[in-house]
Amino acid sequence: MRLFRAVFNVVVALSMTHFALADIVPFTDWQHLRVQLPNVSIHARYQGSGPPVFLIHGYPQHSLTYHTIGPLMAQNYTVILLDNRGMGDSSIPADNDYSAETIAGDIKGVLDFLNITETYIFGHDKGAGLTSAFAAKYASLAKMVSIAEYPLPGFGYETVSDPIPSWSLYSNWQLGFFGVPDAAQYFIQGRERQMLSWYFFHASYSGTTAVSKDDLTSYTDQISKPGFLRSGLTYFEEAIVGADAAFFNSSIGKQPLAQPLLVMGGEASFAPVSLLQQFFGRVGSNISYDVVPKAGHWIGDENPAWVANRLLEFFGGDSSPLPSIDLSYLTNKVTLV
């Protein structure tokens, strides 16, 4: 029902634009892909036809987070959803390297495998950091960039993760808690569903209905797999956050992103626009800002139609659009050997 409402809303919205509409393919019917990189196996889902768009997720989610936005965007684009290393159905790397710079290399590795030389890309939560690292490190591969709901380390992450006197149940104190993954794992293991239920509730606009019970079960199942709770928490480890800050300061800090950049925040989470400008004003040289109405942190769950339409509008504004790609050749193709 949630997807039906989202589809109806976006069809109405797009009927007033120049975008053509193809048939919507439910997320459950999307194709799977697995790409073996040097030290990690990356799992992905893909669907649609048109120019490529990569959607990068954050924590504690995986590619499922785009089960509403993805099908809407796949009416006009070839949409590719990755499971970040150590999350979803991608593997846990032996070296436990979860730095944004390294994962930018994972994204490039999938592009190289698919022979994609340029793409549009969007990242949410931790995925915004990974997307920013990709756009900075491989600038020629990222045509237009959008990020949401994550201040970059070195550019404000430390401010929102440090304790302040006004912290409450609704604050982001978990960022500091997760910063010591061994302790966080000890207290969360066996209570993954309870932790996720609070996690989705506390940063939402609509409360406990922000993420459906079925999706909550899927996220619980994924992080409860052996090793996956710890691997996801490692993204928040102080050493990883420090490495990310050093990377962003040495790259974006010296040369802001030149690509058109759309920064979004949920109205109940990362707003108003002045707050977005405060945290992201130094990230790029060509930035647009927008606040997602009727949404908290979980913009893809709480207002997917609005977000999909805004991304379609943003990427659709490219004066020299990327060429369409066709991934149908991957059907029944062996990709690991």
Side-chain angles (χ1 to χ4, degrees):
M1 181 61 69
R2 288 167 62 87
L3 180 56
F4 174 80
R5 289 197 299 268
V7 169
F8 176 80
N9 291 338
V10 87
V11 166
V12 172
L14 292 181
S15 68
M16 297 181 288
T17 74
H18 62 277
F19 299 112
L21 294 178
D23 292 337
I24 289 182
V25 178
F27 180 74
T28 52
D29 294 338
W30 282 35
Q31 296 292 314
H32 291 262
L33 173 68
R34 189 169 292 279
V35 178
Q36 183 63 52
L37 299 178
N39 70 339
V40 68
S41 174
I42 298 295
H43 171 261
R45 306 290 295 270
Y46 66 93
Q47 188 61 50
S49 61
V53 173
F54 276 70
L55 304 180
I56 310 300
H57 70 85
Y59 182 83
Q61 299 173 298
H62 54 284
S63 55
L64 177 67
T65 190
Y66 294 116
H67 73 287
T68 51
I69 293 175
L72 300 176
M73 295 193 67
Q75 295 177 283
N76 295 86
Y77 293 90
T78 299
V79 179
I80 301 157
L81 317 176
L82 305 185
D83 284 337
N84 303 330
R85 57 169 54 198
M87 295 190 193
D89 289 308
S90 290
S91 69
I92 297 174
D95 60 5
N96 288 316
D97 185 354
Y98 296 97
S99 66
E101 183 179 11
T102 294
I103 298 171
D106 292 346
I107 300 172
K108 180 182 183 297
V110 176
L111 263 76
D112 289 345
F113 177 84
L114 297 174
N115 294 312
I116 296 174
T117 57
E118 201 170 14
T119 187
Y120 305 119
I121 187 167
F122 168 72
H124 171 256
D125 186 80
K126 277 283 182 181
L130 310 181
T131 294
S132 299
F134 173 77
K137 190 175 180 66
Y138 305 106
S140 65
L141 300 181
K143 183 75 182 296
M144 300 178 74
V145 181
S146 180
I147 55 178
E149 286 287 321
Y150 180 76
L152 301 183
F155 289 75
Y157 177 89
E158 296 78 6
T159 300
V160 300
S161 63
D162 286 346
I164 57 175
S166 62
W167 264 11
S168 70
L169 178 67
Y170 298 94
S171 304
N172 288 315
W173 56 265
Q174 80 281 354
L175 298 178
F177 177 49
F178 293 166
V180 186
D182 290 332
Q185 179 185 17
Y186 177 80
F187 288 108
I188 294 171
Q189 200 154 41
R191 295 176 54 85
E192 290 89 349
R193 188 180 182 92
Q194 290 93 326
M195 184 276 286
L196 290 178
S197 181
W198 168 82
Y199 204 148
F200 292 129
F201 157 76
H202 98 284
S204 70
Y205 180 94
S206 52
T208 56
T209 63
V211 173
S212 72
K213 286 183 171 55
D214 287 344
D215 291 347
L216 177 61
T217 296
S218 295
Y219 293 132
T220 301
D221 290 346
Q222 287 290 355
I223 72 167
S224 299
K225 295 184 302 186
F228 277 79
L229 174 59
R230 182 60 169 80
S231 63
L233 292 170
T234 305
Y235 279 80
F236 298 86
E237 190 173 71
E238 291 302 322
I240 296 296
V241 173
D244 289 352
F247 171 77
F248 287 127
N249 281 321
S250 66
S251 56
I252 293 174
K254 294 181 178 179
Q255 183 65 54
L257 299 179
Q259 304 97 328
L261 173 63
L262 171 64
V263 176
M264 294 187 286
E267 70 163 296
S269 176
F270 215 139
V273 165
S274 59
L275 183 64
L276 295 174
Q277 292 171 328
Q278 174 186 335
F279 280 93
F280 296 96
R282 297 187 296 122
V283 172
S285 57
N286 182 13
I287 309 178
S288 302
Y289 301 92
D290 227 328
V291 172
V292 183
K294 305 296 184 183
H297 182 69
W298 316 107
I299 60 175
D301 296 279
E302 296 192 278
N303 201 344
W306 191 96
V307 175
N309 193 42
R310 185 66 184 92
L311 289 173
L312 287 168
E313 179 185 33
F314 176 60
F315 295 137
D318 188 359
S319 59
S320 55
L322 294 176
S324 296
I325 64 170
D326 182 2
L327 298 184
S328 62
Y329 72 92
L330 290 170
T331 303
N332 294 323
K333 180 180 177 62
V334 174
T335 61
L336 294 178
V337 294

